[in-house]
Amino acid sequence: MPRPRILVINPNSNRIVTAGFADALKPLDFPTGPEIVCETLEDGPFGVESQADVERVAMPLQQLIARDTTSAAFVIACYSDPGLHVCREATTRPVFGIAECGVLTALTRADRFGVIAIAQRSINRHLRYLRQMGLMDRLAAERPLNMTVAETASGDGTLLKMIAVGRALKDEDGAGAIVMGCAGMARHRKPLEDALGIPVIDPTQAAVTMAVGAVQFAAS
């Protein structure tokens, strides 16, 4: 019997981002579990960094998921959760957004969490989402790196900036856990957690962990 498949979709066209979170997901791809397949939305922007970018990729994501007849679950690997609800309308199979899953995972690790955003202009979009989720009282703060998605995935000095912002969230804002607010940050989770001494959540890992559970229990 073929293994059920979880499709993890990078809504931007930067393959380095896809490769980074694919590597971070390897511990979840075990022989008796679902196959984890990571794909790049080829016609997406190089980075989803504005509300316009979020709106631009929603329907291509919906169409990709609607056409897919083989995957058992889907993960949208962008911290803005673009097209999440319209994608859920397109299929009866579960669709996970990494922001939603990352935040919910952080709530299991600490009373208050902080978020590292790629840029200042991302924060209002993220706060609007948290208000919709009714979780503003659990947010310690969100602080920006002021970098691009591409820079967080492959730029020099990214980890040092993340440590500085993470320390401010921990020491000044009182965050007991940190959510990395971009799929492109995946390779920095473990060194960041080691430097800060508190849980650091990679939202793509969090979403795929939930997807694995959903697929495994559906098959049992």
Side-chain angles (χ1 to χ4, degrees):
M1 291 289 293
R3 297 162 64 194
R5 183 175 87 155
I6 296 171
L7 181 62
V8 186
I9 310 163
N10 175 14
N12 71 56
S13 57
N14 187 337
R15 291 177 176 271
I16 294 175
V17 172
T18 310
F21 66 65
D23 188 63
L25 294 173
K26 286 180 180 177
L28 296 172
D29 196 359
F30 46 92
T32 58
E35 178 187 14
I36 299 170
V37 177
C38 300
E39 291 188 1
T40 305
L41 190 67
E42 299 295 343
D43 56 352
F46 198 63
V48 177
E49 298 174 357
S50 67
Q51 189 64 44
D53 293 333
V54 171
E55 303 297 339
R56 171 182 167 185
V57 300
M59 292 313 297
L61 286 169
Q62 188 264 4
Q63 292 159 9
L64 188 158
I65 287 172
R67 289 193 304 266
D68 187 307
T69 60
T70 57
S71 297
F74 305 91
V75 172
I76 300 173
C78 171
Y79 197 74
S80 293
D81 285 354
L84 179 60
H85 300 296
V86 74
C87 288
R88 285 174 172 167
E89 287 183 346
T91 180
T92 58
R93 290 156 288 168
V95 182
F96 297 87
I98 67 169
E100 185 177 65
C101 295
V103 168
L104 293 176
T105 300
L107 297 180
T108 70
R109 303 299 303 277
D111 182 57
R112 299 174 75 227
F113 66 93
V115 179
I116 300 177
I118 55 170
Q120 182 65 44
R121 69 174 180 167
S122 302
I123 293 178
N124 283 341
R125 187 167 67 251
H126 297 165
L127 294 181
R128 183 167 62 245
Y129 196 18
L130 287 175
R131 284 194 296 271
Q132 292 170 354
M133 295 174 71
L135 295 174
M136 285 296 292
D137 61 335
R138 300 289 295 276
L139 176 70
E142 179 163 352
R143 291 178 179 247
L145 294 175
N146 290 320
M147 303 175 72
T148 66
V149 172
E151 287 170 339
T152 64
S154 58
D156 293 334
T158 301
L159 178 59
L160 291 177
K161 289 185 179 180
M162 291 181 70
I163 291 172
V165 172
R167 282 183 177 150
L169 288 167
K170 175 187 175 183
D171 298 337
E172 298 177 31
D173 302 317
I178 301 294
V179 181
M180 301 191 303
C182 179
M185 300 177 187
R187 66 190 179 103
H188 301 299
R189 191 205 68 79
K190 184 61 166 62
L192 181 60
E193 184 171 270
D194 290 343
L196 298 180
I198 59 175
V200 173
I201 311 301
D202 172 9
T204 308
Q205 288 178 332
V208 174
T209 297
M210 292 187 189
V212 168
V215 172
Q216 286 287 83
F217 286 120
S220 64

